[in-house]
Amino acid sequence: MKSELQELLARAVTAALPEADTSRAPHVERTRDAAHGDFASNVAMVYAKQAGQPPRQLAQMIIDSLPASDLVEKAEIAGPGFINFFLRRGEMQAVVRQVLEAGADWGRGSQGAGLRVMVEFVSANPTGPLHVGHGRGAAYGDCVSRLLAFTGFDVTREYYINDAGRQMDILALSLWLRYLQACGEQLDFPGNAYQGDYVIEAAATLRAQRGDDLRIAADDVLAAQADAESPDAALDAMIARARDALGADEFLALLDIILTLQIDDIRDDLEQFRVGFDHWFSERGLVTEGAVQHALKGLSEAGHVYEQDGATWFASSRFGDEKDRVLVRASGSHTYFAADIAYHLNKLDRGFERLVDIWGADHHGYVPRVRAAVAALTGADDRLAVQLVQFANLYRGAERLPMSTRAGQYVTLRELRDEVGTDAARYFYVMRSNDQHLDFDLELAKSRSNENPVYYIQYAHARVCSVAQQARDKQWPADPDAADLTRLDTEQEQRLITLISKFPEIVENAALNYAPQTLAHYLRDLADAFHSLYNAHQFIVDDAALRNARLALALAARQTLANGLDLLGVDAPQSM
RNA sequence: GCGCCUGUAGCUCAGUCGGAUAGAGCAACGGCCUUCUAAGCCGUGGGUCACAGGUUCGAAUCCUGUCAGGCGCGCCA
């Protein structure tokens, strides 16, 4: 509807101003005030200067040049030079039938044109359960993925598993030490190892399976770290002792045990949060397959790598980073950054034309260098989009809950789900812009009242279901074909219709801007419009043409609510 | 010190590409259930869009500066 108007306007502008640059589609927007018609455009004011004419005079010329259309009832000049469009009676109402015909596809777009997009998100280290901070990234990334897919992109969702490096060694060590404790060895568990109960549980299982196979004397372990100068050095010494005592293969097997448990747990947790991944990508596999060397070679051949102070550097400052970065240390080991470049190159090699990375906001200093790497590898600066997700602070009423991953003191995503439910959690997570801090009030999310926007929206959906059921009970099932949609002319009906017709634009905007919060706000407004109508007028009335028109409108509202909620991953209940 | 983000009603926040009289929810106050779910609706009050300049037909929105808050600045991951 909007694009049709843009088409009409473009032709009118070309006719009125043959020499004007009309390469860009003219700006057309919804009016805020019904007195200004249905749509308005500012083209006359935009072109006034280059046309050398007052805006209102130019507006008249453009209106006079408008091609005939079934869509437009009239166009008039307003204010400083706006052109207000009043649509022909019935044009807006026609959207009701469009919605009912499209059903679950109502709002689906084709802007993505099948472009292959990878959305990588969560990617939390598998060293413990997901906490509420990860939950926000999960909800956000999932909504963005759903929106992109609905807008015509070919979306793949991936979870990058950081299963290589020192943190993994510490995780394996943590399991082994707990195992030794389970065997009855007396030793103090290090404060900088993984504290969580899940390690103790895994150790108990391991002990049950393997008996004393992996046991050595506690004194032996403690002796290994006796000379260590720092807690970190002590940990490294114990890791070395464990490798020595168990053998590298057995140590790795130990790691795989707890890693598999953790990943299974995370997958299960996310599935219950209605977040699914197409692929789980192992960092370890990347390293063993020589991907890091492949990436280094790629950067090197492009001429962006040099040696200095015994290390290998990437000239990221050429691509907007504030300084160059080390890829391979003087010690010969590659940096985390080098592995990350290899991972991004791997994504590109798999044929993804656009990459979307969703990271915690604490990584924002890392964005320029990864952006630089992708630019260096592709020669383009628009292949990678990085979206940061700010942390969520949890409140219970006015009390702020403390969070510390290191100390093992945090609220898990699972606990959050158990307490407030998946629907409320998902909605609350995405109702704020991802780059804004979020204060998540558990009491509010749980409340079954009008303070809670999730229930407000779901209630609107359930109410339509209830109305439809009562119509059936009275032997008056909704029959859209028998509806006279032009009867939908009250203030409340017009408002609801207008909002429904906006849905495709809202979805497209939310998808292209990675902004699900705009959809969340829209659904709130849509529910509001429905509740207002519900209270102002009866749906089930004797006049069949009017009754069916109102029922059709209600069903269209329900469909729009359902499609929108689905994009947020929130249920649309039949009754509440 | 440098970089990024933020500052809008008492509180929490929307505000798309600059557009017409800056909007919601909560809180406060006053109404609405013999009629489709009151988890709802209607109404009232509430603003120096942090501050100061600039750009222009027009600025909460763009630019510059100031103030305030948050985060990030490793041959860590």
PDB file of all heavy atoms in Angstrom, chain B residues 5 8 11 23 28 38 40 52 54 56 61 70 76:
ATOM      1  P     C B   5      28.408   5.258  19.680  1.00  0.00           P
ATOM      2  OP1   C B   5      27.575   5.009  18.492  1.00  0.00           O
ATOM      3  OP2   C B   5      28.920   6.617  19.961  1.00  0.00           O
ATOM      4  O5'   C B   5      27.612   4.760  20.967  1.00  0.00           O
ATOM      5  C5'   C B   5      26.993   3.478  20.982  1.00  0.00           C
ATOM      6  C4'   C B   5      26.401   3.185  22.334  1.00  0.00           C
ATOM      7  O4'   C B   5      27.446   3.201  23.345  1.00  0.00           O
ATOM      8  C3'   C B   5      25.408   4.215  22.858  1.00  0.00           C
ATOM      9  O3'   C B   5      24.123   4.074  22.291  1.00  0.00           O
ATOM     10  C2'   C B   5      25.429   3.930  24.356  1.00  0.00           C
ATOM     11  O2'   C B   5      24.689   2.762  24.663  1.00  0.00           O
ATOM     12  C1'   C B   5      26.909   3.646  24.577  1.00  0.00           C
ATOM     13  N1    C B   5      27.635   4.857  25.009  1.00  0.00           N
ATOM     14  C2    C B   5      27.504   5.258  26.346  1.00  0.00           C
ATOM     15  O2    C B   5      26.798   4.583  27.107  1.00  0.00           O
ATOM     16  N3    C B   5      28.162   6.361  26.776  1.00  0.00           N
ATOM     17  C4    C B   5      28.920   7.058  25.928  1.00  0.00           C
ATOM     18  N4    C B   5      29.546   8.139  26.391  1.00  0.00           N
ATOM     19  C5    C B   5      29.058   6.678  24.558  1.00  0.00           C
ATOM     20  C6    C B   5      28.404   5.584  24.145  1.00  0.00           C
ATOM     21  P     U B   8      16.384  10.959  30.793  1.00  0.00           P
ATOM     22  OP1   U B   8      16.093  11.716  32.025  1.00  0.00           O
ATOM     23  OP2   U B   8      16.220   9.507  30.751  1.00  0.00           O
ATOM     24  O5'   U B   8      15.541  11.584  29.601  1.00  0.00           O
ATOM     25  C5'   U B   8      15.374  12.989  29.523  1.00  0.00           C
ATOM     26  C4'   U B   8      14.094  13.312  28.795  1.00  0.00           C
ATOM     27  O4'   U B   8      14.138  12.745  27.454  1.00  0.00           O
ATOM     28  C3'   U B   8      12.838  12.693  29.400  1.00  0.00           C
ATOM     29  O3'   U B   8      12.349  13.437  30.508  1.00  0.00           O
ATOM     30  C2'   U B   8      11.900  12.720  28.204  1.00  0.00           C
ATOM     31  O2'   U B   8      11.441  14.033  27.946  1.00  0.00           O
ATOM     32  C1'   U B   8      12.849  12.308  27.083  1.00  0.00           C
ATOM     33  N1    U B   8      12.893  10.850  26.874  1.00  0.00           N
ATOM     34  C2    U B   8      11.846  10.264  26.160  1.00  0.00           C
ATOM     35  O2    U B   8      10.917  10.912  25.715  1.00  0.00           O
ATOM     36  N3    U B   8      11.944   8.904  26.003  1.00  0.00           N
ATOM     37  C4    U B   8      12.935   8.089  26.477  1.00  0.00           C
ATOM     38  O4    U B   8      12.876   6.888  26.247  1.00  0.00           O
ATOM     39  C5    U B   8      13.975   8.750  27.201  1.00  0.00           C
ATOM     40  C6    U B   8      13.913  10.078  27.373  1.00  0.00           C
ATOM     41  P     C B  11      11.984  10.405  38.107  1.00  0.00           P
ATOM     42  OP1   C B  11      13.387  10.445  38.573  1.00  0.00           O
ATOM     43  OP2   C B  11      11.635  10.948  36.770  1.00  0.00           O
ATOM     44  O5'   C B  11      11.491   8.895  38.184  1.00  0.00           O
ATOM     45  C5'   C B  11      11.800   8.078  39.313  1.00  0.00           C
ATOM     46  C4'   C B  11      11.286   6.677  39.082  1.00  0.00           C
ATOM     47  O4'   C B  11       9.842   6.716  38.974  1.00  0.00           O
ATOM     48  C3'   C B  11      11.740   6.034  37.774  1.00  0.00           C
ATOM     49  O3'   C B  11      13.015   5.424  37.908  1.00  0.00           O
ATOM     50  C2'   C B  11      10.626   5.039  37.489  1.00  0.00           C
ATOM     51  O2'   C B  11      10.778   3.871  38.268  1.00  0.00           O
ATOM     52  C1'   C B  11       9.405   5.799  37.991  1.00  0.00           C
ATOM     53  N1    C B  11       8.734   6.569  36.924  1.00  0.00           N
ATOM     54  C2    C B  11       7.952   5.879  35.988  1.00  0.00           C
ATOM     55  O2    C B  11       7.868   4.645  36.070  1.00  0.00           O
ATOM     56  N3    C B  11       7.318   6.577  35.016  1.00  0.00           N
ATOM     57  C4    C B  11       7.437   7.903  34.960  1.00  0.00           C
ATOM     58  N4    C B  11       6.788   8.545  33.983  1.00  0.00           N
ATOM     59  C5    C B  11       8.227   8.627  35.891  1.00  0.00           C
ATOM     60  C6    C B  11       8.853   7.929  36.848  1.00  0.00           C
ATOM     61  P     G B  23       1.933  13.967  21.462  1.00  0.00           P
ATOM     62  OP1   G B  23       1.380  14.567  20.260  1.00  0.00           O
ATOM     63  OP2   G B  23       1.760  14.646  22.762  1.00  0.00           O
ATOM     64  O5'   G B  23       1.347  12.492  21.585  1.00  0.00           O
ATOM     65  C5'   G B  23       1.442  11.837  22.811  1.00  0.00           C
ATOM     66  C4'   G B  23       1.953  10.449  22.577  1.00  0.00           C
ATOM     67  O4'   G B  23       3.388  10.463  22.533  1.00  0.00           O
ATOM     68  C3'   G B  23       1.595   9.508  23.707  1.00  0.00           C
ATOM     69  O3'   G B  23       0.306   8.948  23.460  1.00  0.00           O
ATOM     70  C2'   G B  23       2.708   8.473  23.651  1.00  0.00           C
ATOM     71  O2'   G B  23       2.440   7.510  22.646  1.00  0.00           O
ATOM     72  C1'   G B  23       3.904   9.314  23.195  1.00  0.00           C
ATOM     73  N9    G B  23       4.776   9.752  24.295  1.00  0.00           N
ATOM     74  C8    G B  23       4.900  11.029  24.786  1.00  0.00           C
ATOM     75  N7    G B  23       5.796  11.123  25.733  1.00  0.00           N
ATOM     76  C5    G B  23       6.283   9.834  25.876  1.00  0.00           C
ATOM     77  C6    G B  23       7.272   9.307  26.740  1.00  0.00           C
ATOM     78  O6    G B  23       7.930   9.915  27.584  1.00  0.00           O
ATOM     79  N1    G B  23       7.449   7.953  26.562  1.00  0.00           N
ATOM     80  C2    G B  23       6.764   7.177  25.655  1.00  0.00           C
ATOM     81  N2    G B  23       7.064   5.897  25.622  1.00  0.00           N
ATOM     82  N3    G B  23       5.844   7.650  24.831  1.00  0.00           N
ATOM     83  C4    G B  23       5.654   8.977  24.993  1.00  0.00           C
ATOM     84  P     A B  28      -1.204   4.197  43.084  1.00  0.00           P
ATOM     85  OP1   A B  28      -1.412   3.856  44.506  1.00  0.00           O
ATOM     86  OP2   A B  28      -1.955   3.486  42.021  1.00  0.00           O
ATOM     87  O5'   A B  28      -1.444   5.767  42.865  1.00  0.00           O
ATOM     88  C5'   A B  28      -0.792   6.712  43.705  1.00  0.00           C
ATOM     89  C4'   A B  28      -1.311   8.097  43.414  1.00  0.00           C
ATOM     90  O4'   A B  28      -0.821   8.551  42.132  1.00  0.00           O
ATOM     91  C3'   A B  28      -2.827   8.207  43.294  1.00  0.00           C
ATOM     92  O3'   A B  28      -3.462   8.270  44.563  1.00  0.00           O
ATOM     93  C2'   A B  28      -2.983   9.491  42.486  1.00  0.00           C
ATOM     94  O2'   A B  28      -2.814  10.641  43.295  1.00  0.00           O
ATOM     95  C1'   A B  28      -1.789   9.391  41.528  1.00  0.00           C
ATOM     96  N9    A B  28      -2.172   8.809  40.232  1.00  0.00           N
ATOM     97  C8    A B  28      -1.968   7.529  39.793  1.00  0.00           C
ATOM     98  N7    A B  28      -2.422   7.314  38.574  1.00  0.00           N
ATOM     99  C5    A B  28      -2.948   8.533  38.189  1.00  0.00           C
ATOM    100  C6    A B  28      -3.584   8.968  37.006  1.00  0.00           C
ATOM    101  N6    A B  28      -3.792   8.183  35.959  1.00  0.00           N
ATOM    102  N1    A B  28      -4.005  10.251  36.953  1.00  0.00           N
ATOM    103  C2    A B  28      -3.799  11.046  38.014  1.00  0.00           C
ATOM    104  N3    A B  28      -3.212  10.751  39.182  1.00  0.00           N
ATOM    105  C4    A B  28      -2.804   9.476  39.206  1.00  0.00           C
ATOM    106  P     A B  38     -14.631  -8.899  30.983  1.00  0.00           P
ATOM    107  OP1   A B  38     -15.996  -8.716  31.510  1.00  0.00           O
ATOM    108  OP2   A B  38     -14.270  -8.302  29.680  1.00  0.00           O
ATOM    109  O5'   A B  38     -13.635  -8.332  32.074  1.00  0.00           O
ATOM    110  C5'   A B  38     -12.251  -8.238  31.803  1.00  0.00           C
ATOM    111  C4'   A B  38     -11.544  -7.809  33.064  1.00  0.00           C
ATOM    112  O4'   A B  38     -11.941  -6.451  33.383  1.00  0.00           O
ATOM    113  C3'   A B  38     -11.899  -8.664  34.267  1.00  0.00           C
ATOM    114  O3'   A B  38     -10.768  -8.792  35.115  1.00  0.00           O
ATOM    115  C2'   A B  38     -12.965  -7.842  34.974  1.00  0.00           C
ATOM    116  O2'   A B  38     -13.031  -8.055  36.369  1.00  0.00           O
ATOM    117  C1'   A B  38     -12.485  -6.412  34.680  1.00  0.00           C
ATOM    118  N9    A B  38     -13.586  -5.457  34.687  1.00  0.00           N
ATOM    119  C8    A B  38     -14.578  -5.302  33.779  1.00  0.00           C
ATOM    120  N7    A B  38     -15.433  -4.365  34.069  1.00  0.00           N
ATOM    121  C5    A B  38     -14.974  -3.855  35.259  1.00  0.00           C
ATOM    122  C6    A B  38     -15.446  -2.831  36.095  1.00  0.00           C
ATOM    123  N6    A B  38     -16.515  -2.117  35.840  1.00  0.00           N
ATOM    124  N1    A B  38     -14.754  -2.579  37.217  1.00  0.00           N
ATOM    125  C2    A B  38     -13.668  -3.299  37.470  1.00  0.00           C
ATOM    126  N3    A B  38     -13.118  -4.289  36.763  1.00  0.00           N
ATOM    127  C4    A B  38     -13.826  -4.514  35.653  1.00  0.00           C
ATOM    128  P     G B  40      -5.282  -5.850  32.475  1.00  0.00           P
ATOM    129  OP1   G B  40      -4.094  -5.414  31.723  1.00  0.00           O
ATOM    130  OP2   G B  40      -5.538  -5.315  33.813  1.00  0.00           O
ATOM    131  O5'   G B  40      -6.570  -5.611  31.584  1.00  0.00           O
ATOM    132  C5'   G B  40      -6.586  -6.023  30.216  1.00  0.00           C
ATOM    133  C4'   G B  40      -7.905  -5.643  29.597  1.00  0.00           C
ATOM    134  O4'   G B  40      -9.000  -6.181  30.403  1.00  0.00           O
ATOM    135  C3'   G B  40      -8.185  -4.152  29.552  1.00  0.00           C
ATOM    136  O3'   G B  40      -7.552  -3.511  28.465  1.00  0.00           O
ATOM    137  C2'   G B  40      -9.707  -4.149  29.425  1.00  0.00           C
ATOM    138  O2'   G B  40     -10.118  -4.539  28.137  1.00  0.00           O
ATOM    139  C1'   G B  40     -10.072  -5.264  30.410  1.00  0.00           C
ATOM    140  N9    G B  40     -10.180  -4.710  31.768  1.00  0.00           N
ATOM    141  C8    G B  40      -9.347  -4.932  32.830  1.00  0.00           C
ATOM    142  N7    G B  40      -9.694  -4.266  33.910  1.00  0.00           N
ATOM    143  C5    G B  40     -10.819  -3.559  33.524  1.00  0.00           C
ATOM    144  C6    G B  40     -11.632  -2.663  34.254  1.00  0.00           C
ATOM    145  O6    G B  40     -11.515  -2.297  35.430  1.00  0.00           O
ATOM    146  N1    G B  40     -12.670  -2.165  33.488  1.00  0.00           N
ATOM    147  C2    G B  40     -12.906  -2.487  32.174  1.00  0.00           C
ATOM    148  N2    G B  40     -13.949  -1.910  31.600  1.00  0.00           N
ATOM    149  N3    G B  40     -12.158  -3.325  31.476  1.00  0.00           N
ATOM    150  C4    G B  40     -11.142  -3.822  32.203  1.00  0.00           C
ATOM    151  P     A B  52      20.022  25.603  27.598  1.00  0.00           P
ATOM    152  OP1   A B  52      19.385  26.851  28.072  1.00  0.00           O
ATOM    153  OP2   A B  52      19.278  24.675  26.722  1.00  0.00           O
ATOM    154  O5'   A B  52      21.382  25.979  26.865  1.00  0.00           O
ATOM    155  C5'   A B  52      22.352  26.799  27.525  1.00  0.00           C
ATOM    156  C4'   A B  52      23.536  27.011  26.633  1.00  0.00           C
ATOM    157  O4'   A B  52      24.310  25.782  26.536  1.00  0.00           O
ATOM    158  C3'   A B  52      23.210  27.348  25.182  1.00  0.00           C
ATOM    159  O3'   A B  52      22.843  28.696  25.015  1.00  0.00           O
ATOM    160  C2'   A B  52      24.514  26.973  24.480  1.00  0.00           C
ATOM    161  O2'   A B  52      25.500  27.963  24.669  1.00  0.00           O
ATOM    162  C1'   A B  52      24.921  25.712  25.251  1.00  0.00           C
ATOM    163  N9    A B  52      24.458  24.489  24.571  1.00  0.00           N
ATOM    164  C8    A B  52      23.304  23.790  24.775  1.00  0.00           C
ATOM    165  N7    A B  52      23.171  22.740  24.001  1.00  0.00           N
ATOM    166  C5    A B  52      24.319  22.757  23.225  1.00  0.00           C
ATOM    167  C6    A B  52      24.801  21.915  22.203  1.00  0.00           C
ATOM    168  N6    A B  52      24.146  20.842  21.775  1.00  0.00           N
ATOM    169  N1    A B  52      25.991  22.221  21.645  1.00  0.00           N
ATOM    170  C2    A B  52      26.662  23.297  22.076  1.00  0.00           C
ATOM    171  N3    A B  52      26.315  24.165  23.029  1.00  0.00           N
ATOM    172  C4    A B  52      25.124  23.839  23.570  1.00  0.00           C
ATOM    173  P     G B  54      23.443  29.911  17.327  1.00  0.00           P
ATOM    174  OP1   G B  54      23.546  31.286  16.779  1.00  0.00           O
ATOM    175  OP2   G B  54      22.164  29.438  17.893  1.00  0.00           O
ATOM    176  O5'   G B  54      23.921  28.886  16.217  1.00  0.00           O
ATOM    177  C5'   G B  54      25.238  28.986  15.674  1.00  0.00           C
ATOM    178  C4'   G B  54      25.601  27.765  14.899  1.00  0.00           C
ATOM    179  O4'   G B  54      25.514  26.591  15.760  1.00  0.00           O
ATOM    180  C3'   G B  54      24.675  27.399  13.743  1.00  0.00           C
ATOM    181  O3'   G B  54      24.923  28.191  12.598  1.00  0.00           O
ATOM    182  C2'   G B  54      25.014  25.930  13.524  1.00  0.00           C
ATOM    183  O2'   G B  54      26.243  25.783  12.841  1.00  0.00           O
ATOM    184  C1'   G B  54      25.206  25.457  14.969  1.00  0.00           C
ATOM    185  N9    G B  54      23.999  24.818  15.498  1.00  0.00           N
ATOM    186  C8    G B  54      23.141  25.291  16.466  1.00  0.00           C
ATOM    187  N7    G B  54      22.153  24.465  16.707  1.00  0.00           N
ATOM    188  C5    G B  54      22.375  23.397  15.852  1.00  0.00           C
ATOM    189  C6    G B  54      21.638  22.191  15.666  1.00  0.00           C
ATOM    190  O6    G B  54      20.615  21.823  16.237  1.00  0.00           O
ATOM    191  N1    G B  54      22.212  21.381  14.685  1.00  0.00           N
ATOM    192  C2    G B  54      23.348  21.689  13.985  1.00  0.00           C
ATOM    193  N2    G B  54      23.753  20.787  13.089  1.00  0.00           N
ATOM    194  N3    G B  54      24.046  22.791  14.155  1.00  0.00           N
ATOM    195  C4    G B  54      23.502  23.596  15.096  1.00  0.00           C
ATOM    196  P     U B  56      21.814  26.608   6.833  1.00  0.00           P
ATOM    197  OP1   U B  56      22.133  26.797   5.408  1.00  0.00           O
ATOM    198  OP2   U B  56      21.580  27.780   7.722  1.00  0.00           O
ATOM    199  O5'   U B  56      20.542  25.666   6.970  1.00  0.00           O
ATOM    200  C5'   U B  56      20.357  24.519   6.131  1.00  0.00           C
ATOM    201  C4'   U B  56      18.890  24.206   6.017  1.00  0.00           C
ATOM    202  O4'   U B  56      18.418  23.772   7.320  1.00  0.00           O
ATOM    203  C3'   U B  56      18.083  25.475   5.664  1.00  0.00           C
ATOM    204  O3'   U B  56      16.944  25.186   4.870  1.00  0.00           O
ATOM    205  C2'   U B  56      17.643  25.967   7.023  1.00  0.00           C
ATOM    206  O2'   U B  56      16.516  26.779   7.022  1.00  0.00           O
ATOM    207  C1'   U B  56      17.406  24.644   7.776  1.00  0.00           C
ATOM    208  N1    U B  56      17.493  24.828   9.232  1.00  0.00           N
ATOM    209  C2    U B  56      16.725  24.040  10.064  1.00  0.00           C
ATOM    210  O2    U B  56      16.035  23.108   9.665  1.00  0.00           O
ATOM    211  N3    U B  56      16.799  24.359  11.387  1.00  0.00           N
ATOM    212  C4    U B  56      17.518  25.388  11.945  1.00  0.00           C
ATOM    213  O4    U B  56      17.473  25.586  13.153  1.00  0.00           O
ATOM    214  C5    U B  56      18.295  26.165  11.023  1.00  0.00           C
ATOM    215  C6    U B  56      18.247  25.865   9.734  1.00  0.00           C
ATOM    216  P     U B  61      17.926  17.099  18.723  1.00  0.00           P
ATOM    217  OP1   U B  61      19.326  17.306  19.139  1.00  0.00           O
ATOM    218  OP2   U B  61      17.225  18.101  17.903  1.00  0.00           O
ATOM    219  O5'   U B  61      17.833  15.703  17.955  1.00  0.00           O
ATOM    220  C5'   U B  61      18.390  14.510  18.509  1.00  0.00           C
ATOM    221  C4'   U B  61      18.072  13.333  17.623  1.00  0.00           C
ATOM    222  O4'   U B  61      16.636  13.261  17.443  1.00  0.00           O
ATOM    223  C3'   U B  61      18.690  13.421  16.222  1.00  0.00           C
ATOM    224  O3'   U B  61      19.141  12.145  15.827  1.00  0.00           O
ATOM    225  C2'   U B  61      17.528  13.881  15.353  1.00  0.00           C
ATOM    226  O2'   U B  61      17.605  13.431  14.019  1.00  0.00           O
ATOM    227  C1'   U B  61      16.335  13.243  16.062  1.00  0.00           C
ATOM    228  N1    U B  61      15.082  13.993  15.857  1.00  0.00           N
ATOM    229  C2    U B  61      14.066  13.379  15.162  1.00  0.00           C
ATOM    230  O2    U B  61      14.143  12.238  14.734  1.00  0.00           O
ATOM    231  N3    U B  61      12.933  14.147  14.979  1.00  0.00           N
ATOM    232  C4    U B  61      12.735  15.427  15.418  1.00  0.00           C
ATOM    233  O4    U B  61      11.668  15.988  15.175  1.00  0.00           O
ATOM    234  C5    U B  61      13.840  16.003  16.127  1.00  0.00           C
ATOM    235  C6    U B  61      14.956  15.284  16.313  1.00  0.00           C
ATOM    236  P     G B  70      29.041   5.258  36.941  1.00  0.00           P
ATOM    237  OP1   G B  70      29.073   4.460  38.176  1.00  0.00           O
ATOM    238  OP2   G B  70      30.185   6.120  36.577  1.00  0.00           O
ATOM    239  O5'   G B  70      28.752   4.285  35.707  1.00  0.00           O
ATOM    240  C5'   G B  70      27.689   3.355  35.770  1.00  0.00           C
ATOM    241  C4'   G B  70      27.542   2.635  34.453  1.00  0.00           C
ATOM    242  O4'   G B  70      27.249   3.594  33.394  1.00  0.00           O
ATOM    243  C3'   G B  70      28.781   1.920  33.948  1.00  0.00           C
ATOM    244  O3'   G B  70      29.000   0.672  34.575  1.00  0.00           O
ATOM    245  C2'   G B  70      28.471   1.786  32.458  1.00  0.00           C
ATOM    246  O2'   G B  70      27.533   0.757  32.233  1.00  0.00           O
ATOM    247  C1'   G B  70      27.802   3.134  32.166  1.00  0.00           C
ATOM    248  N9    G B  70      28.786   4.113  31.686  1.00  0.00           N
ATOM    249  C8    G B  70      29.350   5.159  32.376  1.00  0.00           C
ATOM    250  N7    G B  70      30.196   5.848  31.657  1.00  0.00           N
ATOM    251  C5    G B  70      30.199   5.223  30.417  1.00  0.00           C
ATOM    252  C6    G B  70      30.910   5.510  29.223  1.00  0.00           C
ATOM    253  O6    G B  70      31.724   6.408  29.015  1.00  0.00           O
ATOM    254  N1    G B  70      30.605   4.608  28.216  1.00  0.00           N
ATOM    255  C2    G B  70      29.721   3.566  28.331  1.00  0.00           C
ATOM    256  N2    G B  70      29.558   2.800  27.250  1.00  0.00           N
ATOM    257  N3    G B  70      29.045   3.284  29.429  1.00  0.00           N
ATOM    258  C4    G B  70      29.323   4.145  30.428  1.00  0.00           C
ATOM    259  P     C B  76      49.101 -13.022  25.873  1.00  0.00           P
ATOM    260  OP1   C B  76      49.338 -12.027  26.935  1.00  0.00           O
ATOM    261  OP2   C B  76      49.536 -14.376  26.072  1.00  0.00           O
ATOM    262  O5'   C B  76      47.577 -13.140  25.433  1.00  0.00           O
ATOM    263  C5'   C B  76      46.580 -12.433  26.050  1.00  0.00           C
ATOM    264  C4'   C B  76      45.882 -13.257  27.087  1.00  0.00           C
ATOM    265  O4'   C B  76      45.206 -12.346  27.966  1.00  0.00           O
ATOM    266  C3'   C B  76      44.808 -14.197  26.564  1.00  0.00           C
ATOM    267  O3'   C B  76      45.325 -15.463  26.201  1.00  0.00           O
ATOM    268  C2'   C B  76      43.859 -14.274  27.750  1.00  0.00           C
ATOM    269  O2'   C B  76      44.338 -15.202  28.711  1.00  0.00           O
ATOM    270  C1'   C B  76      43.958 -12.864  28.339  1.00  0.00           C
ATOM    271  N1    C B  76      42.913 -11.941  27.843  1.00  0.00           N
ATOM    272  C2    C B  76      41.694 -11.915  28.531  1.00  0.00           C
ATOM    273  O2    C B  76      41.540 -12.681  29.478  1.00  0.00           O
ATOM    274  N3    C B  76      40.723 -11.074  28.118  1.00  0.00           N
ATOM    275  C4    C B  76      40.941 -10.273  27.079  1.00  0.00           C
ATOM    276  N4    C B  76      39.963  -9.457  26.716  1.00  0.00           N
ATOM    277  C5    C B  76      42.179 -10.273  26.372  1.00  0.00           C
ATOM    278  C6    C B  76      43.122 -11.122  26.772  1.00  0.00           C
TER     279        C B  76
END
